[in-house]
Amino acid sequence: MTMKDDYKHKGLRRQLGEGLRQKGITNEAVLKAIDAVPRHLFMDAAFLEFAYKDTAFPIGAGQTISQPYTVAFQTDLLDLKRGDKVLEIGTGSGYQTAVLMEMGVKVFTIERQKLLYDKTKNLLPQLGYAPKFFYGDGYKGLPNYAPFDKVLVTAGAPFVPEALKEQLKVGGIMVIPVGSGDVQMMTVLQKTSESGFETTELKQFRFVPLLEDKQW
Ligand code: SAH
C-alpha cells in the first residue's frame, strides 16, 4: 500500500468537512481531527473516489468503515478533553480510532474479528497512531484497564452492556447506539454516581450489530 496523502486528498477532505458543517457538525476540534485523518488510506485503493464521500463503506469481513458524519457526531458527544482515557468498542478499519487520537486522547480499542484486528493493528502505527489494541469481546470491556473517562461503542448494541457501565468513571460519558433492529438510537449515558446514570437519546443511526456469543 502506498501511504500517499497529496493535495488532491486534502482538497477532497476539505470538501468533506464543509459537508459535515452543513449537516450540523459545529465542533471545531472534531472538524479539525476529521481534516487531519487520511480516510482514503483506511480503504482499498480501488475505492478512492468513495473515501471522501460522506457514506459508510465495506472494509471486508462483512464490516464497514463508519460514515464520517457518524464519526463526527459520536466524537462530539464524547466531550473529549486532552488526556482522556477512552475505551472504544469495534476497532474496524481504525478510522474512528484515528479521529479520537487526533483529539489528543489515549485510546484502548477492542475488535472481535481477528482479520480486522490484525489489519488495523498493522496499519495505524504506519500512519503515526498508537492506540492500545485488544482482540476480544467488547461486551466485556477491559476490566484490567478500567476505569475510563469515556466509552464509545461503534456497533449497534441490543442493550447497554453492564460491564461497560461499571468501567466508566463517575462523571464519565458513554456514547452507544442502542437497538437490535435495523436502526439504533444514539444514546448518551452520563455516570452521575457509582450506580446512577443520566440517559439522553438523540437520533437514529444505522450500525452493523455488536455481536455476542463468539466461538473463540
Ligand atoms: N469504528 C469502526 C467501525 C466499525 S464497524 C471504523 O471506524 O471503521 C463495527 C465493528 O465492531 C466491526 O469491526 C465489528 O467486527 C466490531 N464488533 C462487532 N461486535 C463486536 C464485539 N462484541 N466486540 C468487539 N468488536 C465488535
Side-chain angles (χ1 to χ4, degrees), residues 51-197:
Y52 295 109
K53 287 207 161 66
D54 187 22
T55 55
F57 203 78
I59 52 170
Q63 301 304 321
T64 54
I65 179 171
S66 296
Q67 180 179 353
Y69 175 74
T70 306
V71 170
F73 195 86
Q74 288 196 293
T75 306
D76 180 32
L77 290 176
L78 285 171
D79 192 21
L80 296 172
K81 308 281 182 271
R82 285 199 165 266
D84 269 358
K85 218 173 124 186
V86 181
L87 173 62
E88 180 192 34
I89 311 297
T91 313
S93 69
Y95 176 65
Q96 167 76 76
T97 315
V99 171
L100 291 173
M101 301 287 300
E102 288 288 346
M103 301 288 291
V105 302
K106 295 182 215 108
V107 184
F108 297 70
T109 186
I110 312 179
E111 174 56 53
R112 78 185 275 283
Q113 292 227 26
K114 189 67 164 61
L115 225 75
L116 286 173
Y117 164 81
D118 286 338
K119 195 172 163 191
T120 302
K121 192 177 180 211
N122 178 50
L123 173 71
L124 279 184
Q126 294 183 55
L127 301 177
Y129 301 111
K132 300 245 184 296
F133 294 97
F134 298 86
Y135 171 52
D137 180 7
Y139 278 92
K140 300 192 175 74
L142 294 172
N144 295 338
Y145 296 84
F148 297 95
D149 297 294
K150 310 287 161 68
V151 174
L152 173 60
V153 179
T154 73
F159 55 87
V160 182
E162 212 46 50
L164 301 186
K165 288 165 86 170
E166 274 166 24
Q167 292 169 32
L168 192 58
K169 270 186 201 170
V170 173
I173 295 173
M174 178 174 355
V175 174
I176 177 169
V178 183
S180 41
D182 272 3
V183 296
Q184 298 84 32
M185 181 56 77
M186 189 63 76
T187 306
V188 178
L189 283 86
Q190 179 120 32
K191 187 157 176 174
T192 52
S193 68
E194 271 315 322
S195 59
F197 291 85

